[in-house]
Amino acid sequence: SDFKKRSLFLFTILRDSHFIALIYRILYNFRASIIIRISIFLKLKTIINAHNMKSPLFSLVFLFVFLIRCSNDKTTETIARIISESQGLVGKPEYLDSPFVTAGNRMYLVGHQNGSFPELGWHIKGEMGGLWNPPIKVMDGFDLTLAGKDWAISLNKAQTFHNYPMANIHEYALAGQNLKVTRSQFVPDDKEGLIVQYHFTNTGESPQELTARFIGNTDLRPTWLGERTQMVDSTDSGEYSSALDAWIVKDRGNPWYVIFGADQKSLGHEEVQNTFAGKGVASSLEYALSLPGRGDSVLTFFISGSHTSKKDAKQTFQDLKTNGIPYLLEKQLRYQRLAEKTKLTIPDKEMQVAFEWLKYNCDWLVRTVPEVGTGITAGIPDYPWWFGVDSEYALKGYMAIGQTAPVYSTIHLLDSVSEAVNGNGRIIHEMSSNGAVFNHGNINETPQFASLIWDIYLWNGDKSFLEAYFPTIKKGLHWLIAENDVNRNGFPDGFGMMEIHGLDSEMIDVAVYTQRAFADASKIAGELGEPNLSEQYQKTADALKQKINTQFWSEEFNSYADFRGTDHQALQLIEDAIVRADTLDKPWAVAELQQTRKQILKNPSKGTRPFVLHHNWVVNTPMEMGMADSVKALKALNSAERFVNPFGVFVTGIDRDASAESDDGAFQGSKVFSYTGAVMTLPTGVQAIAENNYGRPDKALDYLKRMTRTFGYALPGSMYEVSPDYGMMVQAWNIYSYAVPIVQQFFGLKPKASEKRITVQPLMPSEWNQASLENVGVADNAVSIYYSKNSKNLEIEVTQTDPDWEIQIVLPKNRDNHYEIEPQTTKTLEKGDKVFFSGRGSALRIRLKSN
């Protein structure tokens, strides 16, 4: 009995995550697999949550003694050894000279997969790589040179790159020197620091005495738009600290610091020539390495930064040296938990792996700047700050994969900054990591914010969440119509998702997202006890829906129009589009545009009317939002199939050419940074969602397969913004393109948390006979869906952790089928062409048998 009480007390102590990591570190020496070790701790956490006992402290001592006595493996802990038990992916040799990222929420590193640090990026030309500690950059990069008796080699040409959710590894094979070297690095959570570790292995029999020279290329400089917040770059100045055995570098005009040093005593230090552009400096540290025959040695570097004080940088530096391995283990465990949330198992294993890694990608994009806030950033390397529309798409996916903390912090950030700079409900478009707002908001971002709030409410059921953001929504909808609808026809004027010069009249995506916003705002008003406002909003939504289906439709093209505008505007846009299509050698598009111009001149109009010119992907938004009537929707979806290649949907349809169906190579558009000629993940995901909305899951799956072909194409474990290998190497809205069609449409999970109800209405592709989706978080509940189908039977089981919630399974009605239901108390209701099965408890299982 006493032992039991002491054990229960011990479990309460284990609530502390850092303590758990220390225990985890001890357990590591058992050399148990990562799954076993993580299973132990997940079990411990379950017990912790169920008990709260007090007992003498010696039970804790007993556990430590037990663990230490059981530990008999004294192998050196290295970053590479620890992370090797996590799922890793190997890069392609042909893409070694392309970017990778080592991500943390405070600091992140961008370089090339071969271990080098070229000057890359366009937003701040040549400065988007290196080590960033937003709102400042701290390093252009670093290098390590190995030297023997008569040779020296710089480690910037790795032969192999391995990517892991929480770290990366570069492998160098120096056959002529009988050496293998691995460089591993990771950024600890919540720390302004990076840990880089070199593991040297002597592959020969003779001992080797080597020197290692580490060069840190510092560049303490402000982020993009730094000048707007009085961030003025000055020359860096370095000093060697004998106390730290490290370099401390400061920007002369600002309290910006970077410190770097190793876990071994250096032989010497000196300033060296800086080869990077900018006002940084280069400093070196030298170390002795003794490698016995067939032996190895490890050298670990710690890099810390601060944009506020030397004190903070020094504190972080010492913290990393003391707690580096526990921090890695904590991060490893946290990523395993991310993997377990919304865990997908499907026949298509490549898509399954892509879905899991997209969850990791989502975490890579969360960035915290204490003076500004925390939120998801749009993409790396050139968009590492906050956006309105990118978040409005992506956060719907984040919610579905259980990464709720970034959802709430990002929404709070967008709302608070938008209120500060606009004050009228308009949602900002783009804000740098120093808090400077570049674009106060495109027209579509304000209505999309309203719909985002409603969608998140379906998952969390928190009325205080609605109450917090409804004032912004009300002001935003008023601003949208009162200040942007010039001719008062209900369609706001201005730029939407398409950033084409002159394309700023009545855009299809703006109209569609406005219609959806009023419909969702009506529901919010109803939830918050404002019935008159709810009715007013719904009337506006109904009127817009009818207008979009008539005034934006083109029977000639079987498509919704790109925009509504005047003949004059259309003719100018046609001239620009012809130049574009001719430059890209798209003769079919030139001919079509010339014919459209001829028709306009032959049949002029004095007012506004719809035009199909570019075949932009946004013409599919009426189907994405499910507000297109079914006849028009199916015609438009079929028309959209023309504007694809094997990787997905073209951003601008006139960029497609006859070779698109056979194009299986790298990005073929403009290599000067632009999106001309681009196929992108967002348009492809929108198309998948649109197909599902009209009951065509096999078509939707085809679009997902196209996107999945781009997974790991250039960077293992990631999916580029522009398919397959251009633009941002990590992109936030990719999760929208996967989580919505898979979680909410294929598996049919439709939560209504405010009513404690889970509705599951599967729309499975015909290829997926066995599929499961486990541990999907809905408020304080967790839901799992198991789907099984063969020629005679269909079985669906839904389980949940809170038995007080109602589970509802919706299936098509078929008189030739027989249903077996567990539990027997389940209610059955036939309504139209559907059968509703509902009940409470921990599980609901329906087996459909064909007669």
Side-chain angles (χ1 to χ4, degrees):
S1 176
D2 287 344
F3 178 78
K4 181 179 180 181
K5 289 179 181 179
R6 288 195 296 271
S7 299
L8 294 174
F9 170 68
L10 175 60
F11 292 146
T12 65
I13 296 174
L14 293 178
R15 281 195 180 100
D16 182 85
S17 62
H18 188 62
F19 183 78
I20 287 178
L22 291 173
I23 300 294
Y24 183 81
R25 183 180 182 185
I26 294 170
L27 284 178
Y28 184 85
N29 288 325
F30 281 103
R31 303 201 70 175
S33 73
I34 183 69
I35 299 301
I36 293 173
R37 287 184 277 119
I38 286 175
S39 297
I40 290 171
F41 277 92
L42 292 177
K43 183 64 175 177
L44 286 176
K45 290 292 283 184
T46 301
I47 299 171
I48 287 167
N49 293 332
H51 298 89
N52 186 15
M53 300 285 290
K54 292 184 178 180
S55 186
L57 191 59
F58 70 80
S59 60
L60 179 60
V61 177
F62 171 81
L63 179 68
F64 271 109
V65 172
F66 172 76
L67 291 174
I68 292 169
R69 288 185 63 183
C70 288
S71 174
N72 54 19
D73 176 20
K74 303 302 180 184
T75 304
T76 302
E77 286 181 331
T78 64
I79 293 174
R81 179 178 172 232
I82 292 171
I83 66 174
S84 65
E85 293 186 356
S86 298
Q87 181 194 43
L89 298 173
V90 182
K92 299 176 182 177
E94 60 267 34
Y95 277 94
L96 282 169
D97 192 21
S98 67
F100 78 94
V101 61
T102 310
N105 61 333
R106 297 296 304 276
M107 188 175 273
Y108 69 93
L109 176 73
V110 171
H112 272 190
Q113 295 173 38
N114 61 13
S116 66
F117 290 96
E119 295 177 315
L120 57 85
W122 63 269
H123 232 121
I124 307 174
K125 188 175 180 181
E127 295 288 356
M128 301 309 295
L131 185 59
W132 280 86
N133 184 29
I136 65 170
K137 184 177 184 177
V138 296
M139 271 190 165
D140 284 319
F142 52 83
D143 191 16
L144 188 124
T145 300
L146 275 181
K149 187 176 181 180
D150 53 2
W151 58 268
I153 294 177
S154 181
L155 297 181
N156 56 16
K157 290 183 173 61
Q159 285 84 18
T160 310
F161 175 77
H162 298 259
N163 211 9
Y164 292 87
M166 75 300 293
N168 359 77
I169 295 176
H170 310 264
E171 291 185 346
Y172 308 82
L174 311 178
Q177 286 72 38
N178 291 329
L179 283 172
K180 284 175 54 180
V181 183
T182 63
R183 187 187 100 195
S184 312
Q185 63 250 336
F186 83 101
V187 176
D189 290 340
D190 304 313
K191 301 297 176 183
E192 297 174 274
L194 169 75
I195 298 178
V196 184
Q197 187 174 83
Y198 293 88
H199 189 179
F200 310 93
T201 302
N202 184 354
T203 60
E205 299 295 339
S206 302
Q208 297 196 52
E209 298 295 327
L210 309 174
T211 57
R213 190 188 195 205
F214 183 88
I215 299 174
N217 299 285
T218 67
D219 187 8
L220 292 154
R221 60 148 298 137
T223 187
W224 182 57
L225 305 182
E227 69 280 359
R228 297 192 183 182
T229 54
Q230 291 74 56
M231 299 177 72
V232 180
D233 190 19
S234 298
T235 304
D236 292 355
S237 175
E239 64 170 342
Y240 170 75
S241 168
S242 57
L244 296 178
D245 194 9
W247 279 98
I248 301 176
V249 183
K250 179 186 184 296
D251 181 282
R252 291 179 187 271
N254 299 279
W256 307 337
Y257 290 88
V258 59
I259 302 175
F260 62 91
D263 61 349
Q264 296 180 26
K265 183 172 177 57
S266 66
L267 296 176
H269 58 274
E270 64 177 338
E271 291 189 2
V272 296
Q273 183 178 359
N274 180 29
T275 59
F276 286 85
K279 300 179 180 180
V281 295
S283 313
S284 72
L285 293 164
E286 195 165 292
Y287 302 87
L289 298 175
S290 296
L291 300 179
R294 300 293 177 182
D296 60 2
S297 181
V298 175
L299 182 60
T300 306
F301 291 89
F302 308 92
I303 305 172
S304 67
S306 174
H307 63 281
T308 56
S309 71
K310 180 194 288 189
K311 179 182 176 182
D312 287 348
K314 288 176 68 174
Q315 183 176 333
T316 301
F317 182 76
Q318 297 286 24
D319 185 23
L320 296 181
K321 292 184 73 172
T322 304
N323 298 302
I325 291 298
Y327 288 150
L328 175 59
L329 295 171
E330 284 181 358
K331 192 162 188 174
Q332 187 180 43
L333 184 59
R334 187 174 66 79
Y335 271 93
Q336 179 63 25
R337 289 171 178 157
L338 290 181
E340 292 300 318
K341 292 180 179 179
T342 314
K343 183 178 180 181
L344 178 69
T345 305
I346 54 176
D348 187 334
K349 296 308 174 185
E350 185 177 357
M351 189 178 296
Q352 180 178 312
V353 171
F355 186 80
E356 180 177 329
W357 276 81
L358 285 175
K359 292 188 286 186
Y360 305 145
N361 292 181
C362 286
D363 190 73
W364 298 350
L365 290 165
V366 177
R367 204 72 61 231
T368 296
V369 179
E371 296 81 3
V372 183
T374 297
I376 66 167
T377 54
I380 297 172
D382 277 292
Y383 294 112
W385 37 74
W386 303 293
F387 284 75
V389 70
D390 297 65
S391 300
E392 289 161 346
Y393 285 112
L395 293 179
K396 295 179 182 181
Y398 273 73
M399 203 69 186
I401 61 172
Q403 295 186 26
T404 56
V407 173
Y408 299 131
S409 63
T410 306
I411 290 173
H412 173 73
L413 180 62
L414 291 175
D415 180 67
S416 59
V417 174
S418 296
E419 177 63 22
V421 300
N422 293 326
N424 56 3
R426 181 184 182 182
I427 301 301
I428 64 166
H429 175 66
E430 183 176 11
M431 175 176 63
S432 187
S433 53
N434 63 337
V437 174
F438 174 70
N439 179 339
H440 284 223
N442 292 336
I443 304 299
N444 60 298
E445 283 160 303
T446 295
Q448 285 186 265
F449 183 79
S451 294
L452 171 66
I453 298 304
W454 174 251
D455 283 358
I456 300 306
Y457 175 69
L458 294 175
W459 288 86
N460 69 16
D462 182 359
K463 282 194 177 180
S464 66
F465 174 79
L466 288 184
E467 291 167 348
Y469 298 110
F470 196 38
T472 297
I473 292 171
K474 288 190 285 188
K475 288 192 295 184
L477 293 181
H478 174 77
W479 169 81
L480 191 64
I481 300 301
E483 298 189 30
N484 298 282
D485 183 10
V486 177
N487 59 8
R488 295 292 181 261
N489 66 350
F491 300 137
D493 301 81
F495 284 107
M497 287 297 293
M498 296 307 304
E499 296 176 342
I500 294 177
H501 179 70
L503 204 57
D504 60 349
S505 57
E506 295 173 354
M507 308 305 302
I508 180 63
D509 54 323
V510 173
V512 168
Y513 292 140
T514 297
Q515 190 279 336
R516 175 64 178 269
F518 276 103
D520 290 337
S522 172
K523 297 169 188 173
I524 296 172
E527 289 284 308
L528 297 181
E530 298 189 43
N532 293 336
L533 187 59
S534 176
E535 182 180 0
Q536 175 190 329
Y537 282 162
Q538 190 58 52
K539 284 182 178 178
T540 301
D542 292 343
L544 281 173
K545 181 177 179 179
Q546 191 273 334
K547 284 185 175 182
I548 290 169
N549 276 295
T550 54
Q551 297 181 26
F552 267 96
W553 179 251
S554 170
E555 194 66 35
E556 177 187 358
F557 287 96
N558 279 325
S559 170
Y560 288 90
D562 294 292
F563 69 100
R564 286 178 53 85
T566 65
D567 287 2
H568 175 76
Q569 181 188 25
L571 290 170
Q572 182 59 57
L573 286 167
I574 286 173
E575 295 305 316
D576 294 342
I578 287 174
V579 171
R580 173 179 179 147
D582 189 51
T583 302
L584 294 176
D585 192 23
K586 316 293 182 185
W588 74 267
V590 172
E592 182 181 285
L593 288 163
Q594 290 173 338
Q595 178 63 27
T596 300
R597 180 175 59 189
K598 182 178 179 182
Q599 290 295 327
I600 294 172
L601 294 173
K602 183 178 180 180
N603 301 290
S605 172
K606 292 183 178 180
T608 61
R609 54 174 167 170
F611 294 98
V612 177
L613 300 184
H614 300 90
H615 300 285
N616 291 319
W617 69 269
V618 291
V619 300
N620 300 307
T621 55
M623 288 75 74
E624 175 205 13
M625 293 292 103
M627 50 76 59
D629 72 57
S630 58
V631 173
K632 292 184 176 70
L634 294 177
K635 289 180 179 179
L637 291 172
N638 290 337
S639 296
E641 292 180 8
R642 295 173 53 209
F643 305 106
V644 301
N645 78 0
F647 302 114
V649 176
F650 279 89
V651 174
T652 298
I654 59 171
D655 293 348
R656 180 204 180 276
D657 60 23
S659 68
E661 284 302 320
S662 60
D663 178 12
D664 59 356
F667 174 63
Q668 298 298 312
S670 170
K671 285 294 186 179
V672 175
F673 192 88
S674 79
Y675 293 111
T676 302
V679 166
M680 290 178 69
T681 50
L682 179 63
T684 311
V686 162
Q687 201 66 12
I689 293 166
E691 292 284 5
N692 274 330
N693 280 336
Y694 295 88
R696 308 206 302 184
D698 287 346
K699 294 280 189 179
L701 182 62
D702 176 72
Y703 285 108
L704 289 178
K705 286 181 175 181
R706 290 173 189 265
M707 276 194 295
T708 303
R709 290 188 187 113
T710 75
F711 173 70
Y713 195 98
L715 174 62
S718 186
M719 185 177 293
Y720 267 67
E721 169 198 24
V722 177
S723 305
D725 62 352
Y726 187 66
M728 302 307 103
M729 61 177 155
V730 187
Q731 180 71 27
W733 61 37
N734 291 349
I735 195 62
Y736 173 75
S737 297
Y738 274 77
V740 172
I742 291 175
V743 176
Q744 297 183 251
Q745 293 181 313
F746 290 165
F747 283 90
L749 178 58
K750 298 172 174 58
K752 189 67 184 295
S754 61
E755 298 177 9
K756 291 193 171 183
R757 184 175 71 246
I758 299 294
T759 298
V760 174
Q761 187 174 355
L763 186 69
M764 280 292 176
S766 58
E767 295 180 19
W768 290 11
N769 292 327
Q770 302 285 333
S772 66
L773 192 67
E774 301 173 86
N775 195 25
V776 184
V778 182
D780 57 358
N781 198 1
V783 180
S784 298
I785 304 169
Y786 303 91
Y787 179 93
S788 178
K789 178 184 69 174
N790 58 35
S791 59
K792 294 184 178 180
N793 300 325
L794 168 65
E795 184 173 309
I796 299 169
E797 182 177 11
V798 180
T799 66
Q800 60 181 357
T801 55
D802 189 340
D804 292 333
W805 284 50
E806 178 187 3
I807 300 174
Q808 184 178 79
I809 298 177
V810 183
L811 296 174
K813 183 170 66 176
N814 190 329
R815 295 298 181 187
D816 294 329
N817 292 332
H818 169 68
Y819 299 100
E820 293 182 358
I821 307 167
E822 293 181 17
Q824 296 298 321
T825 55
T826 300
K827 298 177 183 178
T828 303
L829 172 67
E830 294 187 5
K831 188 176 180 180
D833 60 350
K834 298 180 179 63
V835 184
F836 295 77
F837 306 91
S838 60
R840 301 184 188 277
S842 59
L844 176 60
R845 183 166 65 90
I846 307 296
R847 177 176 293 169
L848 185 153
K849 291 187 173 183
S850 300
N851 294 330

